[in-house]
Amino acid sequence: MIKAILIFNNHGKPRLSKFYEHYNEDIEQQIIRETFHLVSKRDENVCNFLEGGMLIGGSDYKLIYRHYATLYFVFCVDSSESELGILDLIQVFVETLDKCFENVCELDLIFHVDKVHNILAEMVMGGMVLETNMNEIITQVDAQNKMEKSEVRLTLPVHYFYLSVYQAGQVDTGRYCRSACSCRISCKEHEPPGNAQKHQHW
Amino acid sequence: MALKIVKGSIDRMFDKNLQDLVRGIRNHKEDEAKYISTCIDEIKQELKQDNIAVKANAVCKLTYLQMLGYDVSWAAFNIVEVMSSSKFTYKRIGYLAASQCFHESTDVIMLTTNQIRKDLSSPNQYDTGVALTGLSCFVTPDLARDLANDIMTLMSHTKPYIRKKAVLIMYKVFLKYPESLRPAFPRLKEKLEDPDPGVQSAAVNVICELARRNPKNYLSLAPLFFKLMTSSTNNWVLIKIIKLFGALTPLEPRLGKKLIEPLTNLIHSTSAMSLLYECVNTVIAVLISLSSGMPNHSASIQLCVQKLRILIEDSDQNCEPSVNACMKYLGLLAMSKILKTHPKSVQSHKDLILQCLDDKDESIRLRALDLLYGMVSKKNLMEIVKKLMLHVDKAEGTTYRDELLTKIIDICSQSNYQYITNFEWYISILVELTRLEGTRHGHLIASQMLDVAIRVKAIRVFAVAQMATLLDNAHLLTGNVQRKGICEVLYAAAWICGEFSEHLDNPTQTLEAMLRPKVATLPGHIQAVYVQNAAKLFATILKSQEGNTDSTAAQETSQLMIDRLPLFVQSANLEVQERASCILQLVKYIQKLQQKDVEIAEEVIALFAGELNPVAPKAQKKVPVPEGLDLDAWINEPPSESESEDEQPRAIFAKEEPKHSRPRHTEVDEKELAKRREARKQEQANNPFYIKSSPSSQKVYQEAPGVEHIPVVQIDLSVPLKVPVFCPTGLPMSDQYVKLEEERRQKDKAEKKKKEKKKRKEKRSGRGKRHDSGPESEEDITPAHMVDIVTEEMPENALPSDDDDKDPNDPHKALDIDLDKPLADSEKLPVRSHRAAEVLKSPAQDGDAESAVSQETKKKSSKEKREKKKDKDRDRKKSKEDKKKKKKKHKSEEKGEDLLGGQEDGPVGQSEETSEVAAQPTSTTAEVSDLDFWLSNAPVPSNTQEAATVAAAEAAPVSELASGTAPDSEPDEPKDTETEETKSSKHKKKKQKKEKEEKEKKKKKKHHHHHHHSDGGGEESVQNGTVEEEEPLPPMSNYCLLAENSYIKMMMEDADQVNDIQGNLQDGSQVVVSVIFENKCDSFLKSMEFNVLDSLNSKLQRPEGSGPHDGLTVPFQLPPGVSNEARFVFTMQSIIMPQKLKGTLTFIVKNEDSSTHEKLDFKLHFTCTSYLITTPCYSDAFAKLLESGDLKCSSVKLEGVVMPFHHLLARICFRHHFSVVERIDSCASMYSRSIQDHHVCLLVKTSGQTVSIDAKCDEPTLLGNVLDEIKQTFSQC
């Protein structure tokens, strides 16, 4: 069983937290902090397994993590999971994110934590691994997003879209703009075809 | 309209969405909290709006804030609202939020049941998917119970996407609602062979997770998993299966033999490292399980260890360093598995493990530490610990250092200090550990000090000296604020110095050290020990000084106490204060006596006389409760509830006792009291656990030969005890011990050699050289002292066992369920009941006249019934029991019945049917023996004999089946003798039992047949054209497991009804429940009391005069292995809804020497079916009843029913107490009557696999529930 899945950055800022067992918010934060503390002080070329997170689990539980650029992906699992298997699973998760977000970077996770949750939900359910096949995961995620879009298109008037792009463009860089608009409305109809390719998953 | 939409969206434009929120938080780095609080206010506003889009947006933001650590439980209701939106977009947001912040104590969760059910049956697969995903995170026992059936149906959904999610979530359902495991398991097993790999993987996942906790229940699935393992290509599935096999092999060594080959194939063929590693791991598990019986496998273990060594040592230049590190870690992990069973093979790699201790990776160091634990021996303990001590000094992080510390203590203290040869060394190690800064484990060191000092008598002199120094230098320990944890050591030091004060060199100095003002800064519990032990010291000092002619020294000591103690009297800690003031007064009194030159030392020392013996950790629990003592019984009658409420606040002070209890005390006269006191003393004298007050003064135990149950230590002073305590060279003290020890060992060795030489010279004639100067064996090292470790005390007859180590709260304990047993009727999953009302269509015809027909039937039936009842009950029960036992025997028995029943359709059809039905039970129940058979094919020659016997054993019942028509000839089975030869495996026992049952049945058979024959009319539902006799019915049982523990098993018969005498209906109706109690343990069970918590609707009938909460005494006692049946009558008000009652059975388990009170909780389910009585009805009466028009109708459709129509009818008759009125081809009318005289009529039609049931009843709710129950019965098959 997987007890928790955490993503945080090099400074310990949580980017996603999914606990498959209930803790109250304070303890969750404490677990994130402690896990960050344990993981961050480890060298790059030591092993990816860690024992002895006191707050979560106990002797039966392990932290299995991977470090990608600015992000740590940490899975807290019990002894029924294969250590190397979970490492592979993290890889699948990250590759899936990469496919869905097109060159995923930390900003994607910052602004679209709900989508990361949705992707994760197709991989892990209630602490058990649901699907490990990346294509299958992406198919399901896409189908759901398509459904969502068809619903949104029904309710959102066009000028709302322009307005939001305008707002987003004022506040942030172009990159943020993309992330801001891409989730609200299908980009295919309103953006140049070059960009549309990029956003097809959202 | 359009305007409205535009307006709404313009409103929304000014709302922040999630991205805006995130951006805002990023832009307000310096006042983040303030910004978020304004955002939360906005969200609260948004949630108040009616627009669901706005609400969903708000909930989405809340989910983000929840991740940042903000409590959002206040919005739980809004989340439910968003969840129930019809739009997928919002639904998904709602479910996500719910999965992040709902938990068992969220109260709105119970509002979600219907919404989730709706979503589960939604035509849109993603609605269902999202609901399943959400539910998997917040499922509660209630949700699990209510939705188990819906989820189970989803397991056969057409879309694999839903199937796999439904399969996976079943695990969560099982955890929360263990009763669902058995009914759902067959389907789960089916899913192992689902065409979709995702579904298959999910099923493997769930079963592996289940099997990990209770592997023995899943052994019978081994062949199936084996098939999967050899056919599947999904690495994830393979890993899971291989891991599962690793857990199963210890239970069944033959399985291991079968596994070796495919596993080695996988190892050679796979490219996935993860799969490879798991294969190796399981191979190791297999080898371990095999080699425990056979020594020749230890070579392969050696090989494995060698390979692992390569994994640990070798770093592949082509890989990333982190991958190498991972392999190193996993290699060590695998090695620790071998270590548990084959310590010798791992011990030779000590060098490698010690090397790993220097690894820069903490995870690897911790693994190595773990391994070290198993590698120590008498010879290398000192060396290893020395190395660890070096690491302790070097370690920078406190966690790792603490880990080291606990490991050192673990290693040294393991198996009762087995490896310690020199306890002086150990004490000095402990003292050295106290120098650690900021450790959390002060108490651990302290308890070790105490343990060693108490249990190793020889060490006390040394320990006391060391502890005195510690006390003297207490400021070193307490000086630093960071050292809070370590001052616990002073607790031990003070206690040891006080308790064994006679060994102190300079007690006065220690006393002074203990009474320093600085002590007052220590934690309260340590101060208390200080004060108490100062008093002990004082007593010792008095004793030594009293002999002197000069009494001033003694008086000075008293003065010191009187001067210093007031400091403690002022302590804020109650314990300290109380002890101090007591002792202060005592010393003052002593001082007074001293001034009068009275000798008082003896008396003072008597205060602290007596030896303290270590008591085993579980000793208290093992003390048997004396016979006749009922710990649960009230000593005084409990005050009534209203009273107790008033009194509770006052009850804090025990002085205010309830007045009525006072006079009782005074009634006891002095003589009686004296008598009791005497008796108590007598008892205490015989009780080893009572600390005696006899003044035998065991403090000076050298002179006390009286108590000889404590082994007295002989001190062999081959080593000088004196070692300079603080050595100027800076070498830690323990190192000096290591040196001394080495010297001693060498000396010993030299001496031994000398002796041996002598011996050899003497023995020259015989064998040449037996004692080679080979490697030094364990036995060669003689301990420095003859150390007698005082063993821990346990009550007599109590065996130290691990059975009570299991966590009673472990949710997996409830899932330890035998899955091979056929499913009982009442185990079916609860089906929703309130939905039926919607389906209902009232014909709305006013037919006020109760039809004469029904009146007639009623009268008739009630009369008949009373006559029949006894017969029927007995009959039915027997047939049920028989049916239960049928299993394999089924076929031949049915044949017999047919012959006697003589109502044949035609020989062809009949035989077809019989074989069809017979096939079903054999396939399910023969599984166990299947496993045996499967395993016996293992191609290992050593096993063939066993396999042959197994096969022979299996052949026996088959041949018996063949000769089954001759019931009286009981063939002498060779099996009984055979099974004795074969290893007593679990399955065989089962088989034996089965056979025994068969024998019994044969004896009964004649009788049974006779019954069938003679009272064909009396048999249930045989009034007119009911189920034809020739039809072989699948085995059906109405007995279901009610509750079970290690002592007793309760089986309940599906509530059996009695219609009370007519005219008594206003008092409600009665339902009789038969419960079989079966004693499963070896003890006598008595004083059983059966109690049920009454609900508004249903009450347990109790004898007159007893209160509403009293239990009913079960009218029998149960000797071991015996079962008996008791009946309980319940009164029902309304019968239109199913009921569930909670109950308890209390009983006393009586052994030869003890008796304990036990309790078993159970739940009684009354289904609506159980309120129905099988009542025959004539077809013309039936027609009139239907025509009368006062019945409301409802219908239900069952899909995918594959059984023949007459089976279907038989099942409805049997399970739901109907009788067949008329049957024409694939259409039948059925009738039943409730105990409150509701008529229930069914019209059952079948076409293909669809069965439609149209029903009529005068009570729509009852009808709905009955139909649901019928549906449930068929959804299970």
Side-chain angles (χ1 to χ4, degrees), chain B residues 975-1011:
Chain B
K975 204 201 155 210
D976 283 356
T977 47
E978 265 179 27
T979 38
E980 275 169 23
E981 287 163 25
T982 53
K983 276 173 202 165
S984 62
S985 84
K986 207 174 67 187
H987 320 299
K988 266 164 219 149
K989 268 186 206 154
K990 263 189 200 163
K991 218 185 290 161
Q992 250 174 326
K993 211 162 123 197
K994 225 185 279 168
E995 246 163 51
K996 244 182 236 163
E997 282 170 359
E998 273 167 22
K999 267 194 227 167
E1000 276 169 21
K1001 219 164 46 180
K1002 269 186 199 152
K1003 278 177 202 158
K1004 278 186 197 164
K1005 213 172 186 180
K1006 257 194 169 171
H1007 179 63
H1008 182 75
H1009 288 165
H1010 173 69
H1011 243 296

Side-chain angles (χ1 to χ4, degrees), chain A residues 17-18 22 29 42 47 49 51 62 78 111 122 126 129 131 140 147-148 151 163 172 184, chain B residues 13 17 19 23 67 88-89 92 99-100 103 124 126 161 164 172 205 212 329 361 363 367:
Chain A
S17 68
K18 182 82 205 169
H22 177 73
Q29 293 303 308
R42 290 173 64 79
C47 77
F49 316 124
E51 290 167 60
K62 274 194 191 90
D78 70 8
F111 285 102
E122 296 302 323
V129 178
E131 185 60 69
Q140 301 298 351
M147 233 178 95
E148 193 173 301
E151 285 179 353
L163 192 78
D172 263 315
R184 277 195 217 163
Chain B
M13 259 166 21
N17 66 7
Q19 282 71 40
R23 199 170 298 124
M67 184 182 79
F88 173 73
T89 317
R92 182 152 79 162
S99 74
Q100 291 293 88
H103 50 94
N124 181 346
Y126 292 113
Y161 178 73
K164 72 179 177 192
K172 293 275 175 167
N205 245 339
R212 195 166 73 95
Y329 173 89
D361 188 347
S363 297
R367 279 278 125 238

Side-chain angles (χ1 to χ4, degrees), chain A residues 1 7 13-23 25-26 28-29 32 38 41-52 54 60-62 66 78-89 106-107 109-115 117-118 121-122 124-132 136 139-141 143-145 147-149 151-152 154-157 159-160 163 167-168 171-172 176-177 179-180 183-184 202, chain B residues 5-6 9-10 12-14 17-20 22-23 26-27 29 32 60 63-64 66-73 86-90 92 96 99-104 124-127 129-130 132-133 136-137 161 164-166 168-169 171-172 175 196 198 201-202 205-206 209 212-213 234 236 239-240 243 272-274 277-278 281 321-323 325-327 329-330 333 359-364 366-367 397 399 440:
Chain A
M1 287 279 279
I7 305 177
K13 285 254 183 218
R15 295 305 176 212
L16 174 115
S17 68
K18 182 82 205 169
F19 289 87
Y20 293 103
E21 205 161 276
H22 177 73
Y23 296 97
E25 279 77 13
D26 294 336
E28 282 184 8
Q29 293 303 308
I32 295 171
L38 284 173
K41 67 178 183 204
R42 290 173 64 79
D43 283 346
E44 273 306 307
N45 45 13
V46 297
C47 77
N48 302 64
F49 316 124
L50 242 169
E51 290 167 60
M54 291 308 270
D60 198 31
Y61 285 85
K62 274 194 191 90
R66 265 176 188 259
D78 70 8
S79 61
S80 73
E81 302 293 346
S82 145
E83 292 87 354
L84 293 172
I86 292 289
L87 277 183
D88 288 348
L89 188 72
E106 196 187 338
L107 283 173
L109 271 69
I110 294 172
F111 285 102
H112 300 289
V113 67
D114 50 340
K115 297 186 170 27
H117 268 298
N118 293 339
E122 296 302 323
V124 181
M125 190 176 126
M128 281 183 294
V129 178
L130 179 69
E131 185 60 69
T132 50
E136 172 70 15
T139 316
Q140 301 298 351
V141 170
Q144 288 176 55
N145 290 328
M147 233 178 95
E148 193 173 301
K149 272 177 220 158
E151 285 179 353
V152 171
L154 284 175
T155 48
L156 268 187
H159 70 262
Y160 175 42
L163 192 78
Q167 280 183 335
V171 180
D172 263 315
Y176 293 80
C177 171
S179 36
C183 72
R184 277 195 217 163
W202 297 118
Chain B
I5 291 173
V6 171
S9 59
I10 285 172
R12 253 184 292 151
M13 259 166 21
F14 302 105
N17 66 7
L18 176 60
Q19 282 71 40
D20 300 327
V22 174
R23 199 170 298 124
R26 284 160 69 82
N27 289 338
K29 285 234 165 71
E32 192 183 296
C60 186
T63 314
Y64 182 78
Q66 196 271 342
M67 184 182 79
L68 298 184
Y70 289 86
D71 176 30
V72 300
S73 55
S86 57
K87 284 227 173 68
F88 173 73
T89 317
Y90 305 139
R92 182 152 79 162
L96 175 61
S99 74
Q100 291 293 88
C101 63
F102 280 12
H103 50 94
E104 282 201 10
N124 181 346
Q125 63 164 333
Y126 292 113
D127 280 352
V130 117
L132 284 172
T133 307
S136 72
C137 291
Y161 178 73
K164 72 179 177 192
K165 286 197 167 191
L168 213 54
I169 203 178
Y171 179 66
K172 293 275 175 167
L175 279 185
D196 184 82
S201 157
N205 245 339
V206 171
E209 204 59 53
R212 195 166 73 95
R213 311 293 180 144
N234 181 341
W236 188 265
I239 288 175
K240 284 276 169 190
K243 267 191 134 60
M273 201 60 200
S274 46
Y277 172 73
E278 293 306 334
N281 239 338
S322 75
V323 172
C326 284
M327 294 328 292
Y329 173 89
L330 292 174
L333 192 66
D359 200 285
K360 63 178 170 177
D361 188 347
E362 193 177 300
S363 297
I364 289 175
L366 286 172
R367 279 278 125 238
T399 32
R440 279 183 294 146

Side-chain angles (χ1 to χ4, degrees), chain B residues 842-957:
Chain B
S842 163
Q845 285 172 11
D846 293 27
D848 55 346
E850 259 254 318
S851 74
V853 189
S854 66
Q855 202 77 283
E856 198 183 283
T857 31
K858 202 193 291 170
K859 254 184 210 163
K860 199 175 196 174
S861 63
S862 66
K863 216 199 266 168
E864 268 171 9
K865 241 199 59 209
R866 235 165 290 143
E867 286 169 35
K868 260 188 277 167
K869 220 196 90 51
K870 275 187 184 173
D871 261 13
K872 210 172 72 183
D873 276 356
R874 210 185 305 135
D875 213 338
R876 196 199 284 176
K877 219 171 293 147
K878 200 184 289 148
S879 68
K880 262 171 229 153
E881 270 162 11
D882 279 357
K883 275 168 192 160
K884 228 204 272 173
K885 287 173 195 165
K886 251 176 213 168
K887 306 202 169 178
K888 277 191 172 179
K889 191 65 182 152
H890 186 77
K891 190 171 167 181
S892 67
E893 211 208 13
E894 290 297 339
K895 239 180 216 161
E897 252 177 273
D898 296 338
L899 288 174
L900 290 161
Q903 295 178 315
E904 288 163 64
D905 257 346
V908 183
Q910 181 225 330
S911 66
E912 226 174 59
E913 275 156 17
T914 41
S915 59
E916 191 184 317
V917 181
Q920 187 194 353
T922 35
S923 68
T924 52
T925 56
E927 225 159 59
V928 179
S929 44
D930 271 356
L931 177 69
D932 257 355
F933 183 71
W934 180 74
L935 288 171
S936 64
N937 285 345
V940 180
S942 71
N943 213 29
T944 43
Q945 185 148 8
E946 202 179 303
T949 48
V950 172
E954 269 186 345

Side-chain angles (χ1 to χ4, degrees), chain B residues 573-591:
Chain B
N573 187 303
L574 266 185
E575 182 78 17
V576 180
Q577 190 219 351
E578 200 166 25
R579 281 173 195 251
S581 59
C582 253
I583 289 164
L584 182 61
Q585 287 314 310
L586 179 74
V587 176
K588 277 184 183 160
Y589 182 65
I590 290 168
Q591 196 185 30

Side-chain angles (χ1 to χ4, degrees), chain B residues 54 172 192 213 264 293 351 369 373 444 485 503 523 538 658 669 684 699 704 844 854 907 980 1044 1073 1130 1162 1224:
Chain B
V54 177
K172 293 275 175 167
L192 283 177
R213 311 293 180 144
T264 28
D351 56 318
L369 263 184
Y373 177 81
L444 208 65
H503 300 305
F538 173 65
D669 58 325
Q684 284 164 5
K699 287 233 105 174
S854 66
E980 275 169 23
E1044 186 177 18
V1073 176
F1130 288 82
F1162 57 84
I1224 305 156

Side-chain angles (χ1 to χ4, degrees), chain B residues 618-657:
Chain B
K618 288 174 203 153
Q620 182 70 44
K621 227 198 264 174
K622 300 274 174 169
V623 176
V625 180
E627 200 178 338
L629 173 62
D630 182 0
L631 289 174
D632 292 331
W634 288 96
I635 296 172
N636 295 320
E637 275 304 305
S640 71
E641 260 172 54
S642 58
E643 245 180 279
S644 69
E645 253 173 31
D646 293 347
E647 275 180 25
Q648 246 160 14
R650 271 191 285 154
I652 300 165
F653 298 100
K655 285 171 203 163
E656 298 172 57
E657 274 187 308

